[in-house]
Amino acid sequence: MDSGKRQFLQRIGVLTAGAALVPLAHSGWQLQPERREGDSKKRMAMLIDLRRCIGCQACTVSCAVENQLPQGQFRTSVLQYQIVTDSQRIPTNVLLPRLCNHCDNPPCVPVCPVQATFQRQDGIVVIDNTRCVGCAYCVQACPYEARFINHETQTADKCTFCVHRLDAGLLPACVESCVGGARMIGDLNDEQGTLRRTLEQHRGELKVLKPEQGTHPQVFYLGLDEAFVSHVRGQPALWQEVHS
């Protein structure tokens, strides 16, 4: 057992034995770790153009292969919904890609008791699996249900924007494999970058999931139906009917 996990278990014991006597602020935990790693001059974000998504699941498969995920667990997926409006009873099929939103105010970071989850200086939220103890606090804290406990590693898992590929000058697996060109990643601070220019071009049409949560998601959607902005369910089956 490494020192991080050992210290976590020791602190849990202290808090359990004297929870009423030892305030959390004095327990030695820093709830909001400083950003580290990555380029501080960048702020990475993703745009998903739903007008181009065809639901082929190439992103889902390529992500699972690239990140060697256990069977049946996914960091990203494309969920299919059937919308039935009150005014028009004709069903409409909608595709909605889901992944970690790499929030600017990520609720998953401060709840991690061993600081295994942290935010890089370029805004990407990642997990140090050598420190993670699998307590699942971050899984519960994520309002987008974008996290899970990996069946094989027994640690928290989620999309990382394929940060290992970005650092090598490559595109994330999901972006590279998207046959419709629905996914775009880039640096928000790069005024001449394709992502920044595309976001500015469609500024009035952009939406994020659950903006009322105050997490400031950095995954933007173009063509997102209003029915999914605040009420989208986390990990539904492949097909689900939604009334709006």
Side-chain angles (χ1 to χ4, degrees):
M1 181 184 298
D2 61 41
S3 61
K5 294 183 179 180
R6 186 179 299 109
Q7 291 173 7
F8 166 73
L9 294 175
Q10 291 173 344
R11 288 171 176 169
I12 284 293
V14 170
L15 290 177
T16 303
L21 301 177
V22 183
L24 187 60
H26 298 158
S27 66
W29 290 358
Q30 181 184 353
L31 296 181
Q32 189 67 46
E34 293 183 0
R35 296 188 184 190
R36 61 184 188 272
E37 302 179 11
D39 188 345
S40 61
K41 297 180 181 179
K42 296 182 177 181
R43 204 321 170 188
M44 303 304 294
M46 181 177 288
L47 170 66
I48 301 179
D49 189 344
L50 299 179
R51 305 169 304 176
R52 293 175 172 268
C53 179
I54 62 174
C56 66
Q57 301 292 346
C59 54
T60 304
V61 175
S62 62
C63 172
V65 173
E66 174 69 28
N67 296 290
Q68 301 180 358
L69 299 176
Q71 184 175 1
Q73 293 191 300
F74 307 100
R75 291 184 175 186
T76 187
S77 60
V78 181
L79 304 177
Q80 188 170 354
Y81 298 84
Q82 185 180 70
I83 294 182
V84 181
T85 62
D86 293 333
S87 58
Q88 189 175 4
R89 304 304 297 177
I90 300 176
T92 301
N93 294 332
V94 175
L95 299 169
L96 182 61
R98 300 293 304 278
L99 68 160
C100 170
N101 284 261
H102 296 278
C103 309
D104 234 10
N105 182 30
C108 57
V109 172
V111 299
C112 181
V114 293
Q115 297 186 8
T117 288
F118 65 96
Q119 196 168 21
R120 293 181 14 137
Q121 294 186 84
D122 55 14
I124 300 176
V125 179
V126 294
I127 303 169
D128 182 351
N129 292 108
T130 64
R131 295 182 62 87
C132 180
V133 295
C135 65
Y137 288 169
C138 62
V139 176
Q140 298 176 54
C142 176
Y144 307 102
E145 297 187 26
R147 288 171 165 259
F148 57 93
I149 297 298
N150 187 300
H151 293 331
E152 293 181 355
T153 64
Q154 293 301 305
T155 58
D157 206 329
K158 70 172 196 69
C159 159
T160 64
F161 276 170
C162 279
V163 70
H164 60 288
R165 292 176 61 90
L166 288 177
D167 287 346
L170 303 173
L171 292 173
C174 65
V175 176
E176 187 175 77
S177 64
C178 182
V179 298
R183 298 194 182 208
M184 180 188 302
I185 195 166
D187 176 15
L188 290 178
N189 295 332
D190 181 4
E191 296 182 359
Q192 302 304 316
T194 303
L195 177 69
R196 173 72 177 268
R197 288 189 286 107
T198 303
L199 291 177
E200 291 181 349
Q201 180 183 354
H202 299 281
R203 183 178 298 275
E205 307 168 69
L206 298 174
K207 292 183 175 69
V208 296
L209 297 178
K210 300 185 178 181
E212 71 280 358
Q213 295 287 334
T215 60
H216 305 297
Q218 298 301 298
V219 172
F220 303 93
Y221 290 89
L222 186 57
L224 179 65
D225 191 284
E226 192 66 34
F228 295 100
V229 171
S230 296
H231 305 292
V232 63
R233 297 172 187 173
Q235 297 289 349
L238 181 62
W239 185 277
Q240 189 173 89
E241 185 172 289
V242 176
H243 293 265
S244 65

